[in-house]
Coordinates of all heavy atoms in Angstrom, one line a residue:
M1 N 0.8 -1.2 0.0 CA 0.0 0.0 0.0 C 0.9 1.2 0.0 O 1.8 1.4 0.8 CB -0.9 0.0 1.3 CG -1.8 1.2 1.3 SD -2.9 0.9 2.8 CE -3.3 2.5 3.0
A2 N 0.7 2.1 -0.9 CA 1.5 3.3 -1.1 C 0.9 4.4 -0.2 O -0.3 4.6 -0.1 CB 1.6 3.7 -2.5
L3 N 1.8 5.2 0.4 CA 1.4 6.4 1.1 C 1.3 7.6 0.2 O 2.0 7.6 -0.8 CB 2.4 6.6 2.3 CG 2.5 5.5 3.3 CD1 3.6 5.8 4.3 CD2 1.2 5.2 4.0
A4 N 0.6 8.6 0.6 CA 0.5 9.8 -0.2 C 1.8 10.4 -0.5 O 2.0 11.0 -1.6 CB -0.4 10.8 0.5
G5 N 2.8 10.4 0.4 CA 4.1 11.0 0.2 C 5.1 10.1 -0.5 O 6.2 10.5 -0.7
D6 N 4.7 8.9 -0.9 CA 5.6 7.9 -1.5 C 5.9 8.4 -2.9 O 5.0 8.6 -3.7 CB 4.9 6.6 -1.5 CG 5.9 5.5 -2.0 OD1 7.0 5.8 -2.3 OD2 5.4 4.3 -2.0
R7 N 7.2 8.6 -3.2 CA 7.6 9.1 -4.5 C 7.2 8.1 -5.6 O 6.8 8.5 -6.7 CB 9.1 9.3 -4.6 CG 9.5 10.5 -3.8 CD 11.0 10.7 -3.9 NE 11.3 11.9 -3.2 CZ 12.2 12.8 -3.6 NH1 12.8 12.6 -4.7 NH2 12.4 13.8 -2.9
A8 N 7.4 6.8 -5.3 CA 7.0 5.8 -6.4 C 5.6 5.9 -6.7 O 5.1 5.7 -7.9 CB 7.4 4.4 -5.9
A9 N 4.7 6.1 -5.7 CA 3.3 6.2 -5.9 C 2.9 7.4 -6.7 O 2.0 7.4 -7.5 CB 2.6 6.1 -4.6
S10 N 3.6 8.5 -6.4 CA 3.2 9.7 -7.1 C 3.8 9.9 -8.5 O 3.6 10.8 -9.2 CB 3.7 10.9 -6.2 OG 5.1 11.0 -6.2
G11 N 4.7 8.9 -8.8 CA 5.3 9.0 -10.2 C 6.5 9.9 -10.3 O 6.9 10.3 -11.4
S12 N 7.0 10.4 -9.2 CA 8.1 11.4 -9.2 C 9.4 10.8 -8.7 O 10.2 11.5 -8.1 CB 7.7 12.7 -8.5 OG 7.6 12.4 -7.1
A13 N 9.6 9.6 -9.0 CA 10.8 8.9 -8.5 C 12.0 9.5 -9.2 O 12.0 10.0 -10.3 CB 10.8 7.4 -8.8
C14 N 13.2 9.6 -8.5 CA 14.3 10.2 -9.0 C 14.9 9.4 -10.2 O 15.1 8.2 -10.1 CB 15.4 10.2 -7.9 SG 16.9 11.0 -8.4
N15 N 15.1 10.0 -11.3 CA 15.6 9.4 -12.5 C 17.0 10.0 -12.8 O 17.2 11.1 -13.2 CB 14.7 9.7 -13.7 CG 15.2 9.1 -15.0 OD1 16.2 8.4 -15.0 ND2 14.5 9.3 -16.1
L16 N 18.1 9.2 -12.6 CA 19.4 9.7 -12.8 C 19.9 9.7 -14.2 O 20.9 10.3 -14.5 CB 20.4 8.8 -11.9 CG 20.2 8.8 -10.4 CD1 21.2 8.0 -9.8 CD2 20.3 10.3 -9.9
S17 N 19.1 9.3 -15.1 CA 19.5 9.3 -16.5 C 19.1 10.6 -17.2 O 19.7 11.0 -18.2 CB 19.0 8.1 -17.3 OG 17.6 8.2 -17.3
G18 N 18.2 11.3 -16.6 CA 17.7 12.6 -17.2 C 18.2 13.8 -16.4 O 19.2 13.7 -15.7
P19 N 17.5 14.9 -16.6 CA 17.9 16.1 -15.8 C 17.7 15.8 -14.3 O 16.9 15.0 -14.0 CB 17.0 17.2 -16.3 CG 15.9 16.5 -17.0 CD 16.4 15.1 -17.4
G20 N 18.5 16.5 -13.6 CA 18.5 16.3 -12.1 C 17.2 16.6 -11.4 O 16.3 17.3 -12.0
P21 N 17.0 16.2 -10.2 CA 15.8 16.4 -9.5 C 15.8 17.9 -8.9 O 14.8 18.3 -8.4 CB 15.9 15.4 -8.3 CG 17.4 15.2 -8.1 CD 18.0 15.3 -9.5
F22 N 16.8 18.6 -9.2 CA 16.8 20.0 -8.7 C 17.1 21.0 -9.9 O 18.1 21.7 -9.9 CB 18.0 20.2 -7.7 CG 17.9 19.3 -6.5 CD1 18.8 18.2 -6.5 CD2 16.9 19.4 -5.6 CE1 18.7 17.3 -5.5 CE2 16.8 18.5 -4.5 CZ 17.7 17.4 -4.5
P23 N 16.2 21.0 -10.9 CA 16.5 21.8 -12.1 C 16.7 23.3 -11.8 O 17.5 23.9 -12.5 CB 15.3 21.5 -13.0 CG 14.2 21.0 -12.1 CD 14.9 20.3 -11.0
G24 N 16.0 23.8 -10.8 CA 16.1 25.2 -10.5 C 17.4 25.5 -9.7 O 17.8 26.6 -9.6
R25 N 17.9 24.5 -9.1 CA 19.1 24.6 -8.2 C 20.3 23.8 -8.6 O 21.2 23.5 -7.8 CB 18.7 24.2 -6.7 CG 17.7 25.1 -6.2 CD 17.5 24.9 -4.7 NE 17.3 23.4 -4.4 CZ 16.6 23.0 -3.4 NH1 16.1 23.8 -2.5 NH2 16.5 21.7 -3.2
A26 N 20.3 23.4 -9.9 CA 21.4 22.5 -10.3 C 22.7 23.3 -10.2 O 22.7 24.5 -10.3 CB 21.2 22.2 -11.8
M27 N 23.7 22.6 -9.9 CA 25.0 23.3 -9.6 C 25.7 23.7 -10.9 O 25.8 22.9 -11.8 CB 25.9 22.2 -8.9 CG 27.2 22.8 -8.3 SD 28.1 21.6 -7.4 CE 27.0 21.2 -6.1
D28 N 26.0 24.9 -11.0 CA 26.8 25.5 -12.1 C 28.3 25.4 -11.8 O 28.7 24.9 -10.8 CB 26.3 26.9 -12.5 CG 26.4 27.9 -11.4 OD1 27.0 27.5 -10.3 OD2 26.0 29.0 -11.5
V29 N 29.1 25.9 -12.7 CA 30.5 25.9 -12.6 C 30.9 26.7 -11.3 O 31.7 26.2 -10.5 CB 31.2 26.5 -13.8 CG1 32.8 26.6 -13.5 CG2 31.0 25.6 -15.0
A30 N 30.4 27.9 -11.1 CA 30.7 28.6 -9.9 C 30.3 27.9 -8.6 O 31.0 27.9 -7.6 CB 30.0 30.0 -10.0
G31 N 29.1 27.2 -8.6 CA 28.7 26.4 -7.5 C 29.6 25.3 -7.2 O 29.9 24.9 -6.0
F32 N 30.1 24.6 -8.3 CA 31.0 23.6 -8.1 C 32.3 24.1 -7.5 O 32.9 23.5 -6.5 CB 31.3 22.8 -9.4 CG 32.5 21.9 -9.3 CD1 32.4 20.6 -8.7 CD2 33.8 22.3 -9.7 CE1 33.4 19.8 -8.6 CE2 34.8 21.5 -9.6 CZ 34.7 20.2 -9.0
E33 N 32.8 25.1 -8.0 CA 34.1 25.7 -7.5 C 33.9 26.1 -6.0 O 34.9 25.9 -5.2 CB 34.5 26.9 -8.3 CG 35.0 26.5 -9.7 CD 35.2 27.7 -10.6 OE1 34.8 28.8 -10.2 OE2 35.8 27.5 -11.7
R34 N 32.8 26.7 -5.6 CA 32.5 27.1 -4.3 C 32.5 25.8 -3.4 O 33.1 25.8 -2.3 CB 31.2 27.9 -4.2 CG 30.9 28.4 -2.8 CD 29.7 29.4 -2.8 NE 28.6 29.0 -3.7 CZ 28.4 29.6 -4.9 NH1 29.2 30.5 -5.3 NH2 27.3 29.2 -5.6
A35 N 31.8 24.8 -3.8 CA 31.7 23.5 -3.0 C 33.0 22.9 -2.9 O 33.4 22.4 -1.8 CB 30.7 22.6 -3.7
A36 N 33.8 22.9 -3.9 CA 35.1 22.3 -3.9 C 36.0 23.0 -2.9 O 36.7 22.4 -2.1 CB 35.8 22.2 -5.3
R37 N 36.0 24.3 -3.0 CA 36.8 25.2 -2.1 C 36.4 25.0 -0.7 O 37.2 24.9 0.2 CB 36.7 26.6 -2.6 CG 37.6 27.6 -1.8 CD 37.5 29.0 -2.4 NE 36.1 29.5 -2.5 CZ 35.4 29.7 -3.6 NH1 36.0 29.3 -4.8 NH2 34.2 30.1 -3.6
E38 N 35.1 25.0 -0.4 CA 34.6 25.0 1.0 C 34.7 23.6 1.6 O 34.8 23.5 2.8 CB 33.1 25.5 1.0 CG 33.0 26.9 0.7 CD 31.5 27.4 0.7 OE1 30.6 26.5 0.9 OE2 31.3 28.5 0.3
H39 N 34.7 22.6 0.9 CA 34.5 21.2 1.5 C 35.7 20.3 1.2 O 35.7 19.2 1.8 CB 33.2 20.6 1.0 CG 32.0 21.4 1.2 ND1 31.7 22.0 2.4 CD2 31.0 21.8 0.3 CE1 30.6 22.7 2.3 NE2 30.2 22.6 1.0
K40 N 36.6 20.7 0.4 CA 37.7 19.7 0.0 C 38.5 19.3 1.3 O 38.9 18.1 1.4 CB 38.6 20.3 -1.0 CG 39.4 21.5 -0.6 CD 40.3 22.0 -1.7 CE 40.8 23.4 -1.4 NZ 42.1 23.4 -0.8
D41 N 38.8 20.2 2.2 CA 39.6 19.8 3.4 C 38.8 18.9 4.3 O 39.4 17.9 4.9 CB 40.0 21.1 4.1 CG 40.9 21.9 3.4 OD1 41.7 21.4 2.5 OD2 41.0 23.2 3.7
R42 N 37.5 19.1 4.4 CA 36.7 18.2 5.3 C 36.6 16.8 4.6 O 36.7 15.8 5.3 CB 35.3 18.8 5.4 CG 34.4 17.9 6.2 CD 34.8 17.7 7.7 NE 34.1 16.7 8.3 CZ 34.6 15.6 8.8 NH1 35.9 15.4 8.7 NH2 33.9 14.7 9.4
V43 N 36.5 16.7 3.3 CA 36.4 15.5 2.6 C 37.7 14.7 2.8 O 37.8 13.5 3.1 CB 36.0 15.6 1.2 CG1 36.1 14.4 0.4 CG2 34.6 16.2 1.1
H44 N 38.9 15.4 2.6 CA 40.2 14.8 2.8 C 40.4 14.3 4.2 O 40.8 13.2 4.4 CB 41.3 15.8 2.4 CG 42.7 15.2 2.5 ND1 43.4 15.3 3.7 CD2 43.3 14.6 1.6 CE1 44.6 14.7 3.4 NE2 44.6 14.2 2.2
A45 N 40.0 15.1 5.2 CA 40.1 14.7 6.6 C 39.3 13.5 6.9 O 39.7 12.6 7.6 CB 39.7 15.9 7.5
Y46 N 38.1 13.4 6.4 CA 37.2 12.2 6.6 C 37.9 11.0 5.9 O 38.0 9.9 6.6 CB 35.9 12.5 6.0 CG 34.9 11.3 6.2 CD1 34.3 11.2 7.4 CD2 34.7 10.4 5.3 CE1 33.4 10.1 7.7 CE2 33.9 9.3 5.5 CZ 33.2 9.2 6.7 OH 32.4 8.1 6.9
A47 N 38.4 11.2 4.7 CA 39.0 10.0 4.0 C 40.3 9.6 4.8 O 40.5 8.3 5.0 CB 39.4 10.4 2.6
F48 N 41.1 10.5 5.3 CA 42.2 10.1 6.1 C 41.9 9.4 7.4 O 42.5 8.5 7.8 CB 43.1 11.4 6.4 CG 44.3 11.1 7.2 CD1 45.3 10.4 6.6 CD2 44.4 11.4 8.5 CE1 46.5 10.1 7.4 CE2 45.5 11.1 9.3 CZ 46.6 10.5 8.7
Q49 N 40.8 9.9 8.0 CA 40.3 9.2 9.2 C 39.9 7.8 9.0 O 40.2 6.9 9.8 CB 39.1 10.0 9.7 CG 38.6 9.5 11.1 CD 37.4 10.3 11.5 OE1 36.8 11.1 10.8 NE2 37.0 10.2 12.8
M50 N 39.4 7.5 7.8 CA 39.0 6.1 7.5 C 40.2 5.3 7.0 O 40.3 4.1 7.3 CB 37.9 6.1 6.4 CG 36.6 6.6 6.9 SD 35.3 6.3 5.8 CE 35.2 4.5 5.8
L51 N 41.1 5.9 6.2 CA 42.1 5.1 5.6 C 43.5 5.1 6.3 O 44.3 4.3 6.0 CB 42.3 5.6 4.1 CG 41.1 5.5 3.2 CD1 41.4 6.2 1.9 CD2 40.8 4.0 3.0
H52 N 43.8 6.1 7.1 CA 45.1 6.3 7.8 C 46.2 6.3 6.8 O 47.3 5.8 7.1 CB 45.3 5.2 8.8 CG 44.2 5.1 9.8 ND1 44.0 6.1 10.8 CD2 43.1 4.2 9.9 CE1 43.0 5.7 11.5 NE2 42.4 4.6 11.0
D53 N 46.0 6.9 5.6 CA 47.0 7.0 4.6 C 46.8 8.3 3.9 O 45.7 8.5 3.2 CB 47.0 5.8 3.7 CG 48.1 5.8 2.6 OD1 48.3 6.9 2.0 OD2 48.7 4.8 2.4
R54 N 47.7 9.3 4.0 CA 47.5 10.6 3.4 C 47.4 10.5 1.8 O 46.5 11.2 1.3 CB 48.6 11.5 3.8 CG 48.5 11.9 5.2 CD 49.5 13.1 5.5 NE 49.7 13.2 6.9 CZ 48.7 13.8 7.8 NH1 47.6 14.1 7.3 NH2 49.0 13.8 9.1
A55 N 48.1 9.7 1.2 CA 48.1 9.7 -0.3 C 46.8 9.1 -0.7 O 46.2 9.5 -1.7 CB 49.3 8.9 -0.8
E56 N 46.4 8.0 0.0 CA 45.1 7.4 -0.4 C 43.9 8.3 -0.1 O 43.0 8.4 -0.9 CB 44.9 6.1 0.4 CG 45.8 4.9 -0.1 CD 45.4 4.4 -1.5 OE1 44.2 4.2 -1.7 OE2 46.3 4.3 -2.3
A57 N 44.0 9.1 1.0 CA 43.0 10.0 1.3 C 42.9 11.1 0.3 O 41.8 11.6 -0.2 CB 43.2 10.7 2.7
Q58 N 44.1 11.6 -0.2 CA 44.1 12.6 -1.3 C 43.5 12.0 -2.6 O 42.7 12.7 -3.2 CB 45.6 13.0 -1.6 CG 45.7 14.1 -2.7 CD 45.0 15.4 -2.2 OE1 45.1 15.8 -1.0 NE2 44.4 16.1 -3.2
D59 N 43.8 10.8 -3.0 CA 43.2 10.2 -4.2 C 41.7 10.1 -4.0 O 40.9 10.4 -4.9 CB 43.7 8.8 -4.3 CG 45.2 8.8 -4.8 OD1 45.7 9.9 -5.3 OD2 45.8 7.7 -4.8
V60 N 41.2 9.7 -2.8 CA 39.8 9.6 -2.6 C 39.1 10.9 -2.7 O 38.0 11.1 -3.3 CB 39.5 8.9 -1.2 CG1 38.0 9.1 -0.8 CG2 39.8 7.4 -1.3
S61 N 39.7 11.9 -2.0 CA 39.0 13.3 -2.1 C 39.0 13.9 -3.5 O 38.0 14.4 -3.9 CB 39.7 14.2 -1.1 OG 41.1 14.4 -1.4
Q62 N 40.1 13.6 -4.3 CA 40.1 14.1 -5.7 C 39.0 13.3 -6.5 O 38.3 13.9 -7.3 CB 41.4 13.9 -6.3 CG 42.4 14.9 -5.8 CD 43.8 14.7 -6.5 OE1 44.1 13.7 -7.1 NE2 44.6 15.8 -6.5
E63 N 38.9 12.0 -6.3 CA 37.9 11.2 -7.0 C 36.5 11.7 -6.6 O 35.6 11.8 -7.5 CB 38.0 9.7 -6.7 CG 37.0 8.9 -7.4 CD 37.1 8.9 -9.0 OE1 38.1 9.3 -9.5 OE2 36.0 8.7 -9.6
A64 N 36.2 12.0 -5.3 CA 34.9 12.5 -4.9 C 34.6 13.9 -5.6 O 33.5 14.1 -6.0 CB 34.9 12.7 -3.4
L65 N 35.6 14.7 -5.7 CA 35.4 16.0 -6.5 C 35.1 15.8 -7.9 O 34.3 16.5 -8.5 CB 36.6 16.9 -6.2 CG 36.7 17.5 -4.8 CD1 38.0 18.1 -4.6 CD2 35.5 18.4 -4.6
V66 N 35.8 14.8 -8.6 CA 35.6 14.5 -10.0 C 34.1 14.0 -10.1 O 33.4 14.4 -11.0 CB 36.6 13.4 -10.5 CG1 36.1 12.9 -11.8 CG2 38.0 14.1 -10.6
R67 N 33.7 13.2 -9.2 CA 32.3 12.7 -9.3 C 31.3 13.8 -9.1 O 30.2 13.8 -9.7 CB 32.1 11.5 -8.4 CG 32.9 10.3 -8.8 CD 32.6 9.1 -8.0 NE 33.5 8.0 -8.4 CZ 33.3 6.8 -8.1 NH1 32.3 6.4 -7.3 NH2 34.1 5.8 -8.5
L68 N 31.6 14.7 -8.2 CA 30.7 15.9 -8.0 C 30.6 16.6 -9.3 O 29.5 17.0 -9.7 CB 31.2 16.7 -6.9 CG 30.4 18.0 -6.7 CD1 29.0 17.6 -6.2 CD2 31.0 18.9 -5.6
W69 N 31.7 16.8 -10.0 CA 31.7 17.6 -11.2 C 30.9 16.8 -12.3 O 30.0 17.4 -13.0 CB 33.1 17.8 -11.8 CG 33.1 18.4 -13.2 CD1 33.3 17.7 -14.3 CD2 32.9 19.7 -13.5 NE1 33.3 18.6 -15.4 CE2 33.0 19.8 -14.9 CE3 32.6 20.9 -12.7 CZ2 32.7 21.0 -15.6 CZ3 32.4 22.0 -13.4 CH2 32.5 22.1 -14.8
Q70 N 31.0 15.5 -12.3 CA 30.3 14.7 -13.3 C 28.8 14.7 -13.0 O 28.0 14.5 -13.9 CB 30.8 13.3 -13.3 CG 32.2 13.1 -13.9 CD 32.8 11.8 -13.6 OE1 32.4 11.0 -12.8 NE2 33.9 11.4 -14.4
N71 N 28.4 14.8 -11.7 CA 27.0 14.8 -11.3 C 26.4 16.1 -10.9 O 25.4 16.2 -10.2 CB 26.9 13.8 -10.2 CG 27.1 12.4 -10.6 OD1 26.3 11.8 -11.3 ND2 28.3 11.8 -10.3
R72 N 27.1 17.2 -11.2 CA 26.8 18.5 -10.7 C 25.3 18.9 -11.1 O 24.7 19.7 -10.3 CB 27.7 19.6 -11.2 CG 27.7 19.8 -12.7 CD 28.9 20.7 -13.2 NE 28.8 20.9 -14.6 CZ 29.3 20.0 -15.5 NH1 29.8 18.9 -15.0 NH2 29.2 20.3 -16.8
E73 N 24.8 18.4 -12.1 CA 23.4 18.8 -12.5 C 22.4 18.0 -11.7 O 21.2 18.4 -11.6 CB 23.1 18.5 -14.0 CG 24.0 19.4 -14.9 CD 23.7 19.1 -16.4 OE1 22.9 18.2 -16.7 OE2 24.4 19.8 -17.2
R74 N 22.8 17.0 -11.0 CA 21.9 16.2 -10.1 C 22.1 16.4 -8.6 O 21.4 15.8 -7.8 CB 22.1 14.7 -10.4 CG 21.6 14.4 -11.9 CD 21.6 12.9 -12.1 NE 22.9 12.3 -12.1 CZ 23.6 12.1 -13.2 NH1 23.2 12.5 -14.4 NH2 24.9 11.5 -13.2
V75 N 23.1 17.3 -8.3 CA 23.4 17.5 -6.9 C 22.9 18.9 -6.5 O 23.2 19.9 -7.1 CB 24.9 17.4 -6.6 CG1 25.2 17.7 -5.1 CG2 25.4 16.0 -6.9
D76 N 22.1 18.9 -5.4 CA 21.6 20.2 -4.9 C 22.8 20.9 -4.2 O 23.5 20.3 -3.4 CB 20.5 19.9 -3.9 CG 19.9 21.2 -3.3 OD1 20.5 22.3 -3.5 OD2 18.9 21.1 -2.6
P77 N 23.1 22.1 -4.6 CA 24.3 22.8 -4.0 C 24.2 22.9 -2.5 O 25.2 23.0 -1.8 CB 24.2 24.2 -4.6 CG 23.5 24.0 -5.9 CD 22.5 22.9 -5.7
L78 N 23.0 22.9 -1.9 CA 22.8 23.0 -0.5 C 23.2 21.7 0.2 O 23.4 21.8 1.4 CB 21.3 23.4 -0.2 CG 20.8 24.7 -0.7 CD1 19.3 24.8 -0.4 CD2 21.6 25.8 -0.2
T79 N 23.3 20.6 -0.5 CA 23.7 19.4 0.1 C 25.0 18.8 -0.4 O 25.3 17.6 -0.3 CB 22.6 18.3 0.0 OG1 22.4 18.0 -1.5 CG2 21.3 18.7 0.6
A80 N 25.8 19.7 -1.0 CA 27.0 19.2 -1.7 C 28.0 18.7 -0.7 O 28.7 17.6 -1.0 CB 27.7 20.4 -2.4
R81 N 28.1 19.2 0.5 CA 29.0 18.6 1.5 C 28.6 17.2 1.9 O 29.5 16.3 1.9 CB 29.0 19.5 2.7 CG 29.9 19.0 3.8 CD 30.0 19.8 5.1 NE 30.7 19.2 6.1 CZ 31.0 19.7 7.3 NH1 30.5 20.9 7.6 NH2 31.6 19.0 8.2
A82 N 27.4 17.0 2.2 CA 26.9 15.6 2.5 C 27.2 14.7 1.4 O 27.6 13.6 1.6 CB 25.5 15.7 2.9
W83 N 26.9 15.1 0.2 CA 27.1 14.3 -1.0 C 28.5 13.9 -1.2 O 28.9 12.8 -1.4 CB 26.5 15.1 -2.3 CG 26.4 14.2 -3.5 CD1 25.3 13.6 -3.9 CD2 27.5 13.9 -4.4 NE1 25.6 12.9 -5.1 CE2 26.9 13.1 -5.4 CE3 28.8 14.1 -4.5 CZ2 27.6 12.5 -6.5 CZ3 29.5 13.7 -5.6 CH2 28.9 12.8 -6.5
L84 N 29.4 14.9 -1.0 CA 30.9 14.6 -1.1 C 31.4 13.7 0.0 O 32.1 12.8 -0.3 CB 31.6 16.0 -1.0 CG 31.7 16.8 -2.3 CD1 32.2 18.2 -2.0 CD2 32.6 16.1 -3.3
V85 N 30.9 13.9 1.2 CA 31.4 13.0 2.3 C 30.9 11.6 2.1 O 31.6 10.6 2.3 CB 31.0 13.6 3.7 CG1 31.2 12.6 4.8 CG2 31.7 14.9 3.9
R86 N 29.6 11.5 1.7 CA 29.1 10.1 1.4 C 29.8 9.5 0.2 O 30.1 8.3 0.3 CB 27.6 10.2 1.1 CG 27.0 8.9 0.7 CD 27.3 7.7 1.5 NE 26.6 7.8 2.8 CZ 26.8 6.8 3.7 NH1 27.6 5.9 3.6 NH2 26.0 6.9 4.9
T87 N 30.1 10.2 -0.8 CA 30.9 9.7 -1.9 C 32.3 9.2 -1.5 O 32.7 8.1 -1.8 CB 31.0 10.7 -3.0 OG1 29.6 11.0 -3.5 CG2 31.7 10.1 -4.2
A88 N 32.9 10.0 -0.7 CA 34.3 9.7 -0.2 C 34.2 8.4 0.7 O 35.0 7.5 0.6 CB 34.9 10.8 0.6
H89 N 33.1 8.4 1.5 CA 32.9 7.2 2.4 C 32.8 5.9 1.5 O 33.5 4.9 1.8 CB 31.6 7.4 3.2 CG 31.3 6.2 4.0 ND1 31.8 6.0 5.3 CD2 30.4 5.1 3.8 CE1 31.3 4.9 5.8 NE2 30.5 4.4 5.0
N90 N 32.0 6.0 0.5 CA 31.8 4.8 -0.4 C 33.1 4.5 -1.1 O 33.4 3.3 -1.3 CB 30.7 5.1 -1.4 CG 29.4 5.2 -0.8 OD1 29.2 4.7 0.4 ND2 28.4 5.8 -1.4
L91 N 33.9 5.5 -1.5 CA 35.2 5.2 -2.2 C 36.2 4.6 -1.2 O 36.9 3.7 -1.6 CB 35.7 6.5 -2.7 CG 35.0 7.1 -3.9 CD1 35.4 8.5 -4.3 CD2 35.2 6.2 -5.2
C92 N 36.2 5.0 0.0 CA 37.1 4.4 1.0 C 36.7 3.0 1.3 O 37.6 2.1 1.4 CB 37.0 5.2 2.4 SG 37.8 6.8 2.3
I93 N 35.5 2.7 1.4 CA 35.0 1.3 1.6 C 35.4 0.4 0.4 O 35.8 -0.7 0.6 CB 33.5 1.2 1.9 CG1 33.3 1.8 3.3 CG2 33.0 -0.2 1.8 CD1 31.8 2.0 3.6
A94 N 35.3 0.9 -0.8 CA 35.7 0.2 -2.0 C 37.1 -0.1 -2.1 O 37.6 -0.9 -2.9 CB 35.2 0.9 -3.2
R95 N 38.0 0.6 -1.4 CA 39.5 0.4 -1.5 C 39.9 -0.8 -0.7 O 39.5 -1.2 0.3 CB 40.2 1.6 -1.0 CG 40.0 2.7 -2.1 CD 40.9 3.9 -1.7 NE 40.7 4.8 -2.8 CZ 41.6 5.0 -3.7 NH1 42.8 4.4 -3.7 NH2 41.4 5.9 -4.7

């Protein structure tokens, strides 16, 4: 039984192959640069905390930023930090 707020029931499920779920707030180049500048140190520190290796942490933080760039149209700029940290977390676990 679907609830009224259920995305699947309302037909508005997130589709990652098309335009992002935040068309009015999609991250532009300036937004990406701002997010990278503001959050790169936190992402690196998190990766280092997980990996205990500075070089690996640097690689993970760079890869997280590359993925943010690739997905900038689907990432809400207001949640870029959480998105970057979660991406770094997943990359650390995959190593």
